[in-house]
Amino acid sequence: MVMVGVHLILRENEARFYVINLNGDISAVEKNWSGNGHGASVIYGLDDTQNYLYYTDNYIYSPEEIIRLNYETGNESAIILDEKGERFSLISGWQSHLPYEKIQPDGDADVSIISIFDTTSILAPRDSTIKSNRSPKWISDNEITFNAFGESDGLGVFKANIVDSTIEQLTKLNGRWGYDVSKDGEIVVLSAEIEGDDGLSESSIFLKNTHENDPIYIGPGTYPHFSSNQREIYL
C-alpha cells in the first residue's frame, strides 16, 4: 500500500489511527479503539522506509514516551527518551535521530538531537546571541531549523547544519504559532504574534524569502505548513 497520510479518528471518548493511500482507501492501523489514549496525542513524524509512525499518547504528562507504531502490521513499542524533552521532530532521511526541546531549570530550552537507539544526544549549533531555542524541525539530512530567542526578545527562525556547526538566520520574526520551511530552505512561512489595529495581539501569517529583506503579509492564522508539492500553504 502506498501510504500518503496517517489520521487520528475520534468517536466519543475513543480513538484510533488510520492510514489512507493514493486511491483513497482508508484502513485502521489499530485493531481496537483506544479509550485511554490518543486524546492528547502528537504525531512526531513518519519513517516511510520502515513503515513506522512516531507519536506520543500524552504530550502534556509524558512527552518523552515516544510510541513507535508499524502502520502496516499494527505492532508498537515505547521508547523512553528525555524526561525534560518536548516537541520531538522527525523526517525521512535521518530516521534514527530526533531533534527536540530540552527544557532547562530556568524555563529556557536547548534544541538537542537524540538517538532513538541508545539515547545519546548532542546540542544543536547556536551562537552566543541565542539564549534559548525551540520548535525544531528537520529540513534535510544534516540541517534543522528552530525559533531562536535572546535575553528577552525573539530573534527569528534560524537554520543550523549539525555536521559543520554553521548557522544562518532565515527570518527576524519568530513563528510564535507555528512555522514551516520549504524543502530547499529558501522560503519560510510562519505565524507571528503582532499588535493589531485595536492594540491587541493577533496571530498573522507571513511568507519570507531568505533572499529578500521584508516578509510578505498573508493574513490572520496559525500553524501554517507547505503542501507536499510546495505549491500551496495550509493554515
Side-chain angles (χ1 to χ4, degrees):
M1 176 172 61
V2 179
M3 203 281 294
V4 297
V6 172
H7 301 274
L8 179 63
I9 295 180
L10 304 173
R11 70 170 193 186
E12 296 180 351
N13 295 321
E14 297 179 312
R16 66 179 174 184
F17 285 109
Y18 284 76
V19 294
I20 185 169
N21 64 19
L22 289 173
N23 297 321
D25 302 322
I26 187 169
S27 59
V29 174
E30 301 166 296
K31 296 180 180 179
N32 301 313
W33 289 86
S34 174
N36 58 1
H38 300 341
S41 294
V42 170
I43 295 177
Y44 290 125
L46 290 167
D47 176 357
D48 54 11
T49 65
Q50 301 185 66
N51 302 331
Y52 283 134
L53 164 69
Y54 291 86
Y55 71 96
T56 179
D57 249 347
N58 197 321
Y59 72 94
I60 299 173
Y61 295 108
S62 56
E64 81 286 357
E65 184 178 82
I66 308 299
I67 309 299
R68 181 165 55 195
L69 170 66
N70 186 306
Y71 55 77
E72 291 285 346
T73 66
N75 296 330
E76 65 180 34
S77 58
I79 307 168
I80 307 300
L81 297 176
D82 190 333
E83 65 178 6
K84 300 298 183 183
E86 296 179 0
R87 299 190 185 183
F88 294 84
S89 177
L90 176 79
I91 64 165
S92 297
W94 200 14
Q95 299 95 343
S96 61
H97 289 73
L98 296 167
Y100 68 101
E101 291 181 12
K102 185 177 181 67
I103 308 303
Q104 302 299 333
D106 60 3
D108 286 340
D110 292 317
V111 169
S112 293
I113 303 164
I114 192 168
S115 167
I116 62 176
F117 297 116
D118 59 16
T119 68
T120 58
S121 64
I122 60 173
L123 292 179
R126 70 187 197 191
D127 63 24
S128 59
T129 63
I130 300 174
K131 303 303 180 184
S132 181
N133 49 0
R134 297 177 179 272
S135 305
K137 292 179 180 289
W138 280 117
I139 61 169
S140 75
D141 288 357
N142 301 323
E143 295 174 314
I144 64 172
T145 57
F146 51 78
N147 278 324
F149 299 86
E151 291 289 354
S152 58
D153 299 323
L155 301 176
V157 178
F158 281 67
K159 178 173 68 174
N161 188 303
I162 61 176
V163 174
D164 61 19
S165 297
T166 56
I167 65 171
E168 177 186 353
Q169 186 172 10
L170 302 181
T171 75
K172 293 183 179 180
L173 290 173
N174 280 72
R176 173 70 175 84
W177 297 108
Y179 74 91
D180 199 8
V181 182
S182 61
K183 292 179 180 179
D184 59 9
E186 299 294 328
I187 300 175
V188 182
V189 60
L190 59 89
S191 178
E193 192 169 274
I194 63 172
E195 184 175 310
D197 295 335
D198 56 3
L200 302 175
S201 62
E202 62 180 27
S203 301
S204 301
I205 304 293
F206 291 89
L207 191 70
K208 173 67 167 62
N209 188 309
T210 58
H211 299 294
E212 298 177 357
N213 291 327
D214 298 322
I216 300 171
Y217 173 76
I218 295 178
T222 57
Y223 299 102
H225 63 275
F226 288 103
S227 64
S228 58
N229 63 14
Q230 304 283 285
R231 296 177 180 176
E232 294 92 21
I233 297 171
Y234 296 108
L235 308 178

